[in-house]
Amino acid sequence: MARLSLNQATIKRATVVEAVEGCVRHGIESIGLWREPVADHGLDRTAKLVADAGLRVSSLCRGGFVTAVDNRAALDDNRRAIDEAAALRTDTLVMVVGGVAGDKDLIGARQRVADAIAELAVYAAEAGVTLALEPMHPVFCADRGVLSTLSQALDIAERHESVGVVVDALHVWWDPDLDAQIVRAGPHIASYQVCDWLTPVPADVLLGRGYPGDGDIDLDRLTRQVAATGYSKDVEVEIFNADIWAADFDEVIEEVSRRYHAIVEPAL
């Protein structure tokens, strides 16, 4: 249980206080925070709350969305996100890079991501923060993430010491080149996130995540591959699911802990 992190999105309706208190009650030592609820509670207050509770912040989500032709405002917001991550004493800022811009230029959008990361990497390095690029399942290419494979994310990350990648089971499990790319990722893995891919896919595919063990992903194999790279940081359980969001927080956290212990932890 020492490496389990509850990503706040799994109990989306919870405030920062409720999420932190839930982790403490269930013996979870780490939490993945999101910028919006942190802003609602206050950055400094959240940093103190987490520290007083004895928790680690495994990551802050999210930076990114830098694919617009004019992305100056996004770059400014990402610098603020880097500062927030540093204030929360986490070294990992998850970057959801953004979808295809209005010009429908996918190649150009990917180049703008590379250019933006190159500019932000220097600022992140000075703050002691890693920009963790999250490749996303191709179904999200239009609106959330033009980096669709781990290989595409690594092509950028390998150029900068302060840039890494997120291995999110939901987003990478389908990739026919995944085995080789996880080996390649090695020291660049900044975060490992787990959930499961549910079939049939719901109308809103974003909400098609389930508890580990409820879907189609071979999490035992994937976790063993990630562990074999030497990854030793926290493992976040991050679930987007309307039914889970509507459930009692403590019941959800208890089930997260149970699934982690049964399915994920033995492979680490």
Side-chain angles (χ1 to χ4, degrees):
M1 291 286 288
R3 293 174 62 187
L4 169 60
S5 175
L6 177 70
N7 188 288
Q8 193 175 1
T10 303
I11 49 172
K12 185 178 176 65
R13 295 182 300 109
T15 65
V16 168
V17 172
E18 290 168 331
V20 167
E21 290 177 348
C23 286
V24 172
R25 280 196 301 274
H26 292 271
I28 296 175
E29 299 176 12
S30 183
I31 187 168
L33 293 174
W34 281 65
R35 293 180 69 197
E36 294 83 0
V38 168
D40 289 342
H41 187 68
L43 178 62
D44 292 339
R45 291 179 66 203
T46 300
K48 185 177 187 303
L49 174 72
V50 172
D52 288 349
L55 299 182
R56 300 183 301 277
V57 178
S58 54
S59 72
L60 178 65
C61 196
R62 57 193 178 188
F65 290 94
V66 291
T67 53
V69 174
D70 182 356
N71 61 12
R72 287 174 293 181
L75 290 171
D76 287 342
D77 184 63
N78 276 276
R79 293 185 187 95
R80 288 192 292 272
I82 291 167
D83 292 340
E84 291 164 17
L88 293 166
R89 299 182 179 87
T90 179
D91 62 359
T92 304
L93 176 64
V94 175
M95 301 290 285
V96 177
V97 298
V100 179
D103 60 2
K104 301 184 181 180
D105 180 4
L106 177 57
I107 295 173
R110 286 176 174 149
Q111 184 58 54
R112 288 191 286 273
V113 170
D115 293 343
I117 295 303
E119 181 171 340
L120 293 169
V122 176
Y123 191 85
E126 293 172 349
V129 172
T130 296
L131 305 177
L133 303 178
E134 182 166 14
M136 307 197 81
H137 191 284
V139 73
F140 299 111
C141 185
D143 62 344
R144 285 183 175 82
V146 296
L147 300 181
S148 300
T149 66
L150 190 54
S151 175
Q152 289 171 334
L154 285 166
D155 285 346
I156 298 174
E158 287 175 339
R159 303 173 193 169
H160 312 283
E161 290 187 6
S162 60
V163 181
V165 296
V166 179
V167 176
D168 183 321
L170 182 98
H171 292 306
V172 304
W173 73 279
W174 60 274
D175 187 347
D177 196 35
L178 183 60
D179 291 3
Q181 294 307 317
I182 289 180
V183 172
R184 176 187 172 195
H188 304 289
I189 301 176
S191 178
Y192 179 45
Q193 298 179 335
V194 296
C195 65
D196 221 328
W197 178 281
L198 298 182
T199 304
V201 177
D204 186 348
V205 67
L206 180 67
L207 305 185
R209 299 183 179 220
Y211 289 112
D214 280 355
D216 303 303
I217 302 175
D218 187 347
L219 284 170
D220 180 79
R221 184 173 189 273
L222 178 58
T223 302
R224 291 183 189 281
Q225 289 177 306
V226 171
T229 70
Y231 180 79
S232 59
K233 297 176 66 179
D234 293 319
V235 178
E236 292 187 6
V237 177
E238 182 188 57
I239 304 173
F240 290 67
N241 182 297
D243 292 335
I244 292 174
W245 286 348
D248 178 81
F249 301 151
D250 278 306
E251 292 178 1
V252 172
I253 298 171
E254 183 176 352
E255 188 64 16
V256 163
S257 299
R258 189 177 75 82
R259 299 299 185 96
Y260 173 85
H261 179 71
I263 295 169
V264 180
E265 189 178 40
L268 290 172

